[in-house]
Amino acid sequence: MNRFWAFVKKEFLHIFRDPRTILILFGMPIAQIMIFGYVVKNDIKNVKIAIYDKSKDNVTREITDKILSSGYFLLSEKLDSNNELERIFQKGEVKEIIVFEPDFAKRLENTNTANIQLIADASDANTANLIVNYTQAIIYEYVKSINENNSLAVQIVPEARMMYNEEMKSVYMFVPGTMALILLLISAMMTSISIAREKEMGTMEILLVSPLQPLQIIMGKVMPYIILSLVNAISIILLGFFVFDVPIHGSIILLMFETMLFIFLALSIGIFISTVSKSQQTAMFISIFSLMLPTMLLSGFIFPIKNMPLVLQWFCYIVPPKWFIIIIKDIMLKGTGLIYVWKETLILIGMIIFFISLSVKKFKIRLE
Amino acid sequence: MISVQISEIIKSYGKKIALDNISVSINKGELFGFIGPDGAGKTTLFRILTSLLIPNHGFAKVENLDVVKDYKNIRKIVGYMPGRFSLYQDLSVEENLQFFASVFGTTIEENYHLIEDIYVQIEPFKKRLAGNLSGGMKQKLALSCALIHKPEVLFLDEPTTGVDAVSRKEFWEMLKKLKNFGITIIVSTPYMDEAELCDRIALIQNGKILSIQSPQKIISEYKLPLIAIRSDDMYLLVKDLKNLDQTNSVFLFGEYVHFTSKLSKINIETIEAFLSLKGHTNIKFKNIKPDIEDCFMALIENDRMSK
């Protein structure tokens, strides 16, 4: 056992002596959660808008009130002519102008249809998209509320959302996603790089010609990253909880158990990558292309899976973080127990067994 | 008593044959050298003996353990220093030594007497990272790490390549001292001058062993008439000498060429006349005794002729 701990101690020395490793280990999680939490937000707040009401009747007033009381928008100006539209966007403060057509209420009553024009400042395409969608959602809500008391269904604006989460709270989404991404990167990428480094530097040759067992070498490599990943997972949850008010409705023990499970999965993937790569660079590229990109794009972290083409949706099933994100979301946001996530948990366990047995098969006790 | 037995080993990488039917027996406590140029197959042989590679044919035993079947036990009793510096550059001298001691289940204190002579030289730098050591000091550290578990057989693959002349000399003195502990030392080197420091050597070229002898014996078996020649234009000298009738071989050795003749006795006057005719100036002759390199060259030549 002494042998093993000497190995673990050596691994920690490697980690703490390399500023880049330290930066990736501790800088990246905090930076990412902050970036995703604050900057790449999918929700909007106090966006300045202008309203050009050509009708000025009770319906347009009601809709205006609804929009302004939503908390997402602030009225910057009321406009009186078309000429002002250009000028107001050029000033750059107003991100959206809402235009009601003349005789809005009358048309709605007579033809059951009225038009609202939403003009967004699309120089920031993403934000523009978001703002328009939010506005549409509010108008849609309003239409629904009047239709409830009305036998004839009225129409104002066609619906076009679904790209955004129902709760309109993106931070909630980002905590599980970021956690999956960071655990995967740290556990898988860092272990694969550190094993590949032994090969690249030729030290693996000496380690092989020593009484160390392959399992001891692998466990010794993995041990420090288990501890560090756990520290990271906890700090992400705490950051989410205290800075972004992300609730933890479910059991913390279950949450930690699933997190540990995912860390093991990530490590087993890392070990597998290291068995197929000879240099640190290969290990890093394989990690980035096979782990980071799919996690960002195909795990449902940023883009909802149900909006993807069918073929990509199938592909999503083999992306490990997809299952972890589902589990974490269920536990943290919905407060569900193991009964609801046992399927996903089993999938994670299955993947661990798959990668571990593959790595054990591929681990070389010799040089060729 | 035999410490390492190599029997009819063949090893190829794809079509390239790295070792071609090699058989050697090395005695316990012997300082044995594999001498040959880069690409001769020395590293491959060392990797087979340290259980890192499996031979295509033949077998090898280290302390009576088969390198393929008993690889686990072999890994407990050998010390191995690969050709490339293979310690942790981001760990200090002391940490490296400590690590390898623990890996082999021992402590620095327990076997300090083995490495004492070597380690005292690098001990002043024990807090320094291994990556910041000079080439000579790196090798001393690597040797200390390979020795710390008191191996029965020590494999040193080109330990002095890239090391300055003084450090090389010191390194070999240490190996001589280690012999006193009864450790079998097997060393490979491309430097012919180091061959003479071994008990026995195997000259190896293109995966074949040309000769296994004590260095003295190899030299004493050298029968060709030999002389060193120089002139102002060494490049032309080699070229011109090759055209001489009595020439057997011409090799450039530093500032002289080593010339061997087909005749039983070298006729200096004929050569000098020939060279003067070719326009060489400052022609000098020097009587020399053959060294290992001369023997090696002659053996390679023989090997080529016999094909």
Side-chain angles (χ1 to χ4, degrees):
Chain A
M1 220 45 206
N2 194 16
R3 201 166 275 176
F4 175 70
W5 290 113
F7 201 102
V8 173
K9 185 184 155 202
K10 171 193 84 92
E11 283 311 308
F12 271 113
L13 287 176
H14 287 320
I15 292 169
F16 289 118
R17 294 234 168 115
D18 184 18
R20 280 174 305 176
T21 310
I22 289 289
L23 199 69
I24 292 177
L25 277 178
F26 298 105
M28 198 174 70
I30 296 171
Q32 275 195 343
I33 195 94
M34 287 301 183
I35 289 169
F36 283 127
Y38 278 120
V39 187
V40 200
K41 279 200 271 198
N42 270 3
D43 55 61
I44 55 176
K45 216 176 173 183
N46 295 338
V47 172
K48 291 203 171 140
I49 58 167
I51 290 175
Y52 178 22
D53 192 346
K54 296 180 184 171
S55 177
K56 292 200 175 96
D57 54 47
N58 59 327
V59 179
T60 63
R61 251 194 303 279
E62 252 178 76
I63 294 176
T64 308
D65 285 348
K66 269 250 180 293
I67 290 172
L68 293 180
S69 62
S70 67
Y72 302 122
F73 302 104
L74 277 182
L75 182 63
S76 167
E77 264 180 83
K78 286 203 169 200
L79 309 179
D80 294 312
S81 84
N82 273 329
N83 308 335
E84 286 174 294
L85 300 181
E86 188 86 29
R87 171 187 63 83
I88 218 152
F89 274 140
Q90 271 166 4
K91 275 204 277 178
E93 283 209 328
V94 170
K95 298 293 176 202
E96 185 190 46
I97 300 169
I98 300 170
V99 186
F100 295 96
E101 65 177 344
D103 303 325
F104 194 87
K106 245 186 237 166
R107 279 179 201 236
L108 200 60
E109 208 174 312
N110 295 342
T111 66
N112 282 338
T113 311
N115 294 313
I116 300 179
Q117 193 181 15
L118 302 177
I119 310 167
D121 176 2
S123 56
D124 176 357
N126 277 334
T127 317
N129 225 335
L130 271 174
I131 293 168
V132 169
N133 276 301
Y134 272 61
T135 320
Q136 284 178 343
I138 294 165
I139 294 165
Y140 179 67
E141 278 295 308
Y142 173 77
V143 174
K144 231 167 75 178
S145 72
I146 48 174
N147 280 350
E148 270 168 16
N149 321 320
N150 221 331
S151 52
L152 278 169
V154 297
Q155 268 185 26
I156 297 183
V157 172
E159 232 252 284
R161 25 195 265 265
M162 90 205 171
M163 267 190 69
Y164 302 93
N165 50 342
E166 293 298 315
E167 299 92 9
M168 292 192 178
K169 264 285 189 184
S170 59
V171 174
Y172 288 1
M173 272 295 299
F174 280 118
V175 166
T178 315
M179 202 148 111
L181 183 65
I182 284 171
L183 293 183
L184 204 58
L185 276 186
I186 288 176
S187 309
M189 187 164 93
M190 301 305 274
T191 30
S192 67
I193 288 179
S194 95
I195 297 178
R197 180 164 69 177
E198 301 264 1
K199 291 191 197 173
E200 201 179 311
M201 304 299 284
T203 44
M204 193 53 115
E205 210 170 323
I206 305 195
L207 291 183
L208 286 177
V209 189
S210 79
L212 281 172
Q213 306 281 325
L215 199 67
Q216 283 177 318
I217 296 178
I218 286 181
M219 283 313 292
K221 280 272 160 200
V222 155
M223 193 57 138
Y225 293 101
I226 293 180
I227 299 168
L228 294 172
S229 303
L230 210 58
V231 170
N232 268 317
I234 293 170
S235 41
I236 291 170
I237 294 172
L238 289 180
L239 261 177
F241 188 78
F242 287 109
V243 182
F244 300 108
D245 301 321
V246 180
I248 305 168
H249 291 309
S251 143
I252 291 185
I253 295 169
L254 182 61
L255 185 66
M256 289 328 291
F257 166 75
E258 298 283 357
T259 307
M260 278 303 282
L261 211 57
F262 187 67
I263 290 173
F264 278 123
L265 174 56
L267 291 171
S268 57
I269 296 174
I271 295 167
F272 173 69
I273 290 175
S274 74
T275 59
V276 295
S277 39
K278 279 204 172 120
S279 69
Q280 297 181 67
Q281 238 180 13
T282 330
M284 198 168 86
F285 279 123
I286 296 180
S287 302
I288 287 177
F289 283 112
S290 69
L291 300 178
M292 196 165 162
L293 291 180
T295 307
M296 302 273 279
L297 305 175
L298 298 175
S299 68
F301 169 19
I302 295 177
F303 306 108
I305 294 170
K306 61 182 172 201
N307 289 357
M308 292 175 191
L310 204 58
V311 182
L312 274 186
Q313 288 195 26
W314 294 335
F315 195 70
C316 292
Y317 284 107
I318 59 163
V319 177
K322 171 199 152 98
W323 305 105
F324 179 64
I325 290 175
I326 293 175
I327 294 172
I328 292 294
K329 262 161 66 179
D330 278 7
I331 296 173
M332 285 178 76
L333 309 181
K334 294 184 194 157
T336 51
L338 192 58
I339 323 158
Y340 293 92
V341 292
W342 66 270
K343 252 190 266 173
E344 287 81 4
T345 310
L346 275 186
I347 291 173
L348 289 188
I349 293 173
M351 285 176 166
I352 294 176
I353 295 169
F354 175 75
F355 281 110
I356 289 279
S357 41
L358 213 58
S359 316
V360 168
K361 240 182 163 174
K362 293 217 75 169
F363 187 85
K364 296 182 186 93
I365 53 163
R366 294 193 166 84
L367 279 182
E368 58 180 12
Chain B
M1 216 170 82
I2 287 173
S3 171
V4 175
Q5 189 191 357
I6 303 164
S7 180
E8 295 174 356
I9 291 274
I10 296 175
K11 175 74 192 174
S12 56
Y13 300 106
K15 277 192 177 163
K16 193 187 171 293
I17 294 172
L19 293 175
D20 192 359
N21 206 1
I22 283 192
S23 300
V24 186
S25 285
I26 298 164
N27 298 321
K28 202 155 175 56
E30 201 172 11
L31 174 50
F32 192 95
F34 283 93
I35 319 290
D38 289 344
K42 302 187 298 285
T43 298
T44 304
L45 181 63
F46 275 54
R47 285 180 170 169
I48 287 174
L49 293 178
T50 50
S51 81
L52 285 169
L53 292 177
I54 298 178
N56 301 109
H57 176 266
F59 69 92
K61 284 183 172 174
V62 175
E63 293 293 313
N64 240 344
L65 297 165
D66 187 275
V67 291
V68 179
K69 273 181 263 155
D70 295 323
Y71 74 93
K72 278 189 182 160
N73 290 321
I74 285 192
R75 291 175 181 188
K76 287 177 193 155
I77 58 156
V78 302
Y80 175 42
M81 189 174 148
R84 205 162 53 127
F85 179 68
S86 302
L87 297 178
Y88 296 102
Q89 318 238 8
D90 54 344
L91 260 53
S92 73
V93 169
E94 202 179 17
E95 284 160 349
N96 265 301
L97 195 60
Q98 191 83 57
F99 172 69
F100 284 103
S102 313
V103 160
F104 281 95
T106 180
T107 56
I108 297 180
E109 293 73 34
E110 199 174 316
N111 290 318
Y112 190 75
H113 62 283
L114 268 180
I115 59 162
E116 193 174 2
D117 287 340
I118 312 161
Y119 193 62
V120 285
Q121 300 181 38
I122 45 176
E123 207 161 17
F125 312 100
K126 65 181 181 184
K127 298 280 175 212
R128 194 182 285 189
L129 297 186
N132 298 336
L133 293 175
S134 71
M137 284 204 279
K138 274 182 182 165
Q139 295 309 84
K140 282 170 196 164
L141 175 59
L143 182 62
S144 304
C145 290
L147 268 175
I148 192 64
H149 60 290
K150 197 173 191 313
E152 300 196 24
V153 186
L154 185 61
F155 291 96
L156 308 171
D157 190 5
E158 301 204 2
T160 52
T161 301
V163 174
D164 65 274
V166 177
S167 296
R168 270 171 61 188
K169 197 159 166 277
E170 284 175 0
F171 197 89
W172 276 91
E173 274 161 17
M174 285 169 210
L175 294 189
K176 289 245 147 134
K177 275 188 196 160
L178 282 176
K179 272 189 60 184
N180 300 333
F181 293 101
I183 300 173
T184 309
I185 302 170
I186 300 172
V187 64
S188 78
T189 179
Y191 300 119
M192 302 289 165
D193 56 331
E194 290 180 348
E196 286 162 47
L197 304 167
C198 299
D199 294 335
R200 279 197 306 154
I201 53 174
L203 295 178
I204 180 169
Q205 156 91 351
N206 289 333
K208 279 194 183 136
I209 288 182
L210 304 174
S211 172
I212 306 172
Q213 291 289 358
S214 71
Q216 296 73 25
K217 192 98 187 284
I218 286 188
I219 291 170
S220 71
E221 282 174 2
Y222 189 88
K223 296 292 183 228
L224 291 166
L226 176 73
I227 198 160
I229 312 174
R230 63 155 294 132
S231 84
D232 282 339
D233 191 336
M234 296 299 281
Y235 173 71
L236 267 182
L237 183 67
V238 174
K239 231 174 128 186
D240 289 337
L241 281 172
K242 279 186 175 163
N243 292 326
L244 193 66
D245 285 339
Q246 60 165 302
T247 301
N248 179 54
S249 68
V250 186
F251 293 109
L252 193 58
F253 275 65
E255 51 180 2
Y256 280 89
V257 295
H258 286 193
F259 174 87
T260 61
S261 170
K262 284 176 193 158
L263 310 174
S264 55
K265 202 172 178 305
I266 291 172
N267 189 335
I268 292 179
E269 286 75 33
T270 329
I271 300 172
E272 191 164 15
F274 171 78
L275 289 177
S276 301
L277 200 70
K278 289 277 179 186
H280 283 278
T281 49
N282 253 333
I283 305 164
K284 277 186 190 137
F285 292 87
K286 198 167 93 177
N287 279 314
I288 48 163
K289 280 187 181 147
D291 61 11
I292 292 288
E293 201 159 358
D294 293 306
C295 303
F296 189 64
M297 291 304 190
L299 285 166
I300 290 174
E301 202 68 13
N302 272 346
D303 187 55
R304 212 173 55 204
M305 292 301 183
S306 64
K307 269 180 196 164

